[in-house]
Amino acid sequence: MRPFDYARAGNVAEAGQMAGRFIAGGTNLLDLMKLEVETPDKLVDITRLPLRGIEETDDGGLRIGALVSNADLAADPRIRRDYEVLSRALLAGASGQLRNKATTGGNLLQRTRCSYFYEPSQPCNKREPGSGCGAIGGFNRIHAVLGTSDKCIATHPSDMAVAMRALDAVVETQKVDGSTRAIALGEFYRLPGDTPEIENVLEQGELITAVRLPKPFAGQHRYRKVRDRASYAFALVSVAAVVRMDGGKIAEARLAFGGLAHMPWRDETVEKALIGQEPAMANFDKAADILLAEAKGQGENDFKIPLARRTLKAVLADATKGA
Amino acid sequence: MKRNRRAKRSMKLKINGVEHELDIDMRTSLLDACRDHLGLTGSKKGCDHGQCGACTMLVNGRRINSCLTLAVMHEGDEITTIEGIGEPGNLHPMQEAFLHHDGFQCGYCTPGQIVSAVGMLGEVADGWPSHASADVKAGAALSGDEIRERMSGNLCRCSAYPNIVDAIETASAKMKENA
Ligand SMILES: Cc1cc2nc3c(=O)[nH]c(=O)nc-3n(C[C@H](O)[C@H](O)[C@H](O)COP(=O)(O)OP(=O)(O)OC[C@H]3O[C@@H](n4cnc5c(N)ncnc54)[C@H](O)[C@@H]3O)c2cc1C
Ligand code: SF4
Ligand code: FES
Ligand code: FES
């Protein structure tokens, strides 16, 4: 690990002005610093900031402080009752130990698990712009099938963010100059394009202070994660769903996908195609056709395309059964 | 290279109820601080990347991977290592149960398993659900499936898993009795 300066942020206003890399749970940043994939000159420890609360908002939603741990968030009675898909997604991620340390802000900003990104001797446009992409034509079993570019085919590994995307979460931040903004999660992440090193719209020194959830969405909440072992493994494909039925037909469907793209993937045309439909496999197949129309395998990850279809159909069948 | 970072820093750590003052490299993980500087070698390093759980410690009662955190970030915290859980002559029910059920072979993962299991039972007592819980809204009783899921952050290369699960069930019952 490279040497670094270390300072603690005493309040939210000064954190961004301390001109260093924020460290929260450290479970992703330190992992990458040990490998010298990340080499910050200075760490700003934000763990003493008062951002550990979960409070109710005026419009009936919740504001989750950026430092709320993944474990505390999953266990919060309001999240379990009204946003079950989020609790489920969190509990499907990492391990008990990691969830106790991992924070809401850090989870959103965790970096890809692409093995070339993790190995400084290998080419990787995300780690070292212009060096090439080792995964294209290489080992790419865990890589993306949607929204890729010829520069990068990495996926975003978070489970939490997939559920938050289905729930229309909004990220609240504070910039270095003290101004604040609210960014819909749907506008927060970027596709790799020509600049895979830029993963989101945050500016230098911009601190995530909270994630806001809107009023709860009624319906069946599901999070289905398909992975290589039953626990403590990243998703190959995951589906977050909130589905509401009315009179035997689908009235509302919110669907977000993990493991498929550089960001939690959501395609509202898939959701629209389901509205007013009966819960029949043929209709679920049509939705999958829309979702996967542009999907492109890279060789080792070709299996993700049929796997995403089957997982989506299984989730929809489960969420609509008995209605 | 413009890097001329001050390498060392003095810090105070409270481990197993005892305050220690250390002057160590800023980069030192909580695990290395305990093992290399305080002689607390019970916690083990399996992977150093959060992937095995051998380094599990409790921080303010919650289990974490001590390899993936900096010692300096834990000034003011209450840290518990396996040595603080119990020692020969005064074993914790979890340690006794691991002995009784032979919950190990080589023993390398064992300190992490035991500390993790103690932390895990605290989470269950607090009503936390898990991925294995049928209903996340309700609390979950401690079944074999619940133990396996909740302990998935602790790998055992010797695959002593069946006896580890038995040990945790026994210890859990014993601890309830004692409570
Ligand atoms: C073995 C292992 C298995 C895992 N499995 C899963 C899994 O199955 N599913 C899953 O979703 N995740 C998994 N994870 C990843 C884990 O969820 C992340 O490491 C964790 O959520 C990161 O949060 P943190 O607080 O530790 O972030 P840190 O490591 O502290 O920070 C990560 C990044 O976010 C930045 N940052 C942190 N907080 C803020 C803030 N408030 N404002 C601005 N920037 C900020 C940091 O500068 C850094 O760039 C796994 C990790 C490991 C090690
Ligand atoms: S897929 Fe992206 S992260 Fe992986 S090697 Fe290619 S450029 Fe790097
Ligand atoms: S040594 Fe910490 S998790 Fe493996
Ligand atoms: S007893 Fe050998 S690794 Fe678990």
Side-chain angles (χ1 to χ4, degrees):
Chain A
M1 197 188 297
R2 301 271 185 87
F4 50 81
D5 283 333
Y6 170 85
R8 283 183 196 137
N11 59 64
V12 171
E14 77 176 14
Q17 290 161 4
M18 293 172 75
R21 188 70 177 274
F22 300 132
I23 182 161
T27 60
N28 190 229
L29 185 54
L30 286 170
D31 192 10
L32 292 166
M33 284 170 67
K34 288 184 185 196
L35 300 167
E36 300 194 355
V37 172
E38 298 265 23
T39 56
D41 285 333
K42 179 177 178 184
L43 290 182
V44 174
D45 180 351
I46 59 173
T47 56
R48 283 150 211 254
L49 297 179
L51 301 173
R52 291 192 186 270
I54 305 176
E55 57 196 50
E56 276 137 52
T57 58
D58 294 340
D59 62 0
L62 290 176
R63 175 179 286 107
I64 303 157
L67 292 174
V68 173
S69 74
N70 288 178
D72 284 338
L73 186 57
D76 185 273
R78 293 160 292 182
I79 299 289
R80 285 152 69 181
R81 186 186 64 219
D82 298 331
Y83 304 94
E84 183 180 342
V85 64
L86 177 56
S87 191
R88 287 269 176 215
L90 286 158
L91 293 171
S95 66
Q97 290 95 317
L98 287 159
R99 290 191 297 271
N100 280 334
K101 207 81 179 54
T103 65
T104 306
N107 189 315
L108 286 177
L109 296 182
Q110 64 173 298
R111 311 212 56 197
T112 185
R113 307 305 286 202
C114 169
S115 50
Y116 298 89
F117 176 73
Y118 261 76
E119 177 45 67
S121 69
Q122 295 294 312
C124 170
N125 288 324
K126 187 185 280 298
R127 181 171 29 74
E128 204 179 318
S131 64
C133 171
I136 296 175
F139 296 106
N140 52 37
R141 185 168 175 275
I142 66 167
H143 287 70
V145 294
L146 287 167
T148 55
S149 74
D150 61 0
K151 297 287 188 295
C152 178
I153 58 171
T155 56
H156 192 275
S158 171
D159 292 296
M160 180 194 83
V162 177
M164 285 184 171
R165 182 71 183 92
L167 292 170
D168 283 333
V170 173
V171 182
E172 296 186 346
T173 70
Q174 179 169 93
K175 295 196 203 183
V176 177
D177 66 9
S179 64
T180 60
R181 60 173 171 157
I183 310 159
L185 196 57
E187 271 140 40
F188 183 79
Y189 292 111
R190 297 175 30 129
L191 286 175
D194 287 334
T195 52
E197 70 279 14
I198 305 172
E199 296 172 346
N200 53 61
V201 301
L202 291 182
E203 294 173 9
Q204 189 78 29
E206 189 168 356
L207 178 76
I208 297 176
T209 52
V211 173
R212 211 165 63 211
L213 298 178
K215 214 165 74 189
F217 298 105
Q220 294 293 316
H221 285 225
R222 294 289 184 280
Y223 189 76
R224 180 95 178 242
K225 177 173 177 179
V226 184
R227 44 185 159 171
D228 284 328
R229 58 183 183 198
S231 186
Y232 202 18
F234 286 94
L236 292 166
V237 169
S238 71
V239 179
V242 181
V243 182
R244 185 167 58 83
M245 300 293 288
D246 191 14
K249 300 218 162 100
I250 297 171
E252 192 181 4
R254 308 177 149 268
L255 301 166
F257 301 85
L260 298 183
H262 198 251
M263 51 161 85
W265 191 261
R266 186 158 172 204
D267 180 343
E268 278 162 29
T269 59
V270 176
E271 299 171 14
K272 288 212 183 81
L274 285 164
I275 292 173
Q277 302 296 313
E278 284 174 4
M281 278 300 170
N283 293 331
F284 301 159
D285 256 317
K286 272 187 219 149
D289 287 342
I290 299 170
L291 173 74
L292 297 164
E294 314 264 301
K296 183 170 157 250
Q298 301 284 341
E300 289 188 345
N301 70 349
D302 291 349
F303 73 94
K304 281 193 178 184
I305 299 172
L307 182 60
R309 171 181 299 272
R310 289 197 296 265
T311 311
L312 173 61
K313 286 167 66 179
V315 165
L316 288 172
D318 184 40
T320 57
K321 73 171 179 250
Chain B
M1 288 273 295
K2 71 176 175 63
R3 287 174 191 270
N4 182 23
R5 309 283 159 216
R6 216 170 61 112
K8 285 196 171 182
R9 179 184 163 116
S10 74
M11 58 187 86
K12 284 203 187 98
L13 293 177
K14 191 168 177 198
I15 301 173
N16 305 328
V18 181
E19 289 266 12
H20 299 271
E21 193 148 358
L22 288 166
D23 194 30
I24 53 175
D25 191 311
M26 203 102 75
R27 293 170 289 183
T28 312
S29 67
L30 181 58
L31 176 63
D32 289 346
C34 288
R35 285 185 54 84
D36 300 347
H37 300 279
L38 294 170
L40 294 167
T41 53
S43 310
K44 297 293 183 266
K45 185 185 286 188
C47 67
D48 216 20
H49 286 279
Q51 298 178 359
C52 76
C55 64
T56 304
M57 294 183 190
L58 303 181
V59 172
N60 304 326
R62 296 291 183 213
R63 53 183 173 154
I64 66 154
N65 304 103
S66 64
C67 69
L68 272 193
T69 191
L70 296 171
V72 66
M73 294 178 76
H74 292 285
E75 283 191 298
D77 286 336
E78 297 275 347
I79 296 153
T80 308
T81 67
I82 184 68
E83 291 89 346
I85 297 282
E87 284 187 302
N90 184 24
L91 293 182
H92 186 282
M94 190 64 74
Q95 292 167 314
E96 279 174 348
F98 268 71
L99 283 172
H100 177 75
H101 288 280
D102 212 5
F104 42 77
Q105 286 183 43
C106 76
Y108 196 79
C109 71
T110 313
Q113 298 279 2
I114 290 173
V115 176
S116 181
V118 171
M120 182 274 287
L121 291 182
E123 296 166 5
V124 173
D126 288 340
W128 289 11
S130 87
H131 177 65
S133 311
D135 179 2
V136 288
K137 294 178 191 88
L142 197 68
S143 64
D145 281 346
E146 285 282 351
I147 292 175
R148 277 185 284 275
E149 164 58 28
R150 291 171 190 264
M151 291 296 293
S152 73
N154 290 84
L155 303 191
C156 175
R157 192 67 184 78
C158 302
S159 214
Y161 297 115
N163 294 0
I164 292 172
V165 173
D166 290 348
I168 294 172
E169 277 179 336
T170 298
S172 164
K174 186 78 189 288
M175 287 161 70
K176 270 194 203 134
E177 237 169 70
N178 295 351

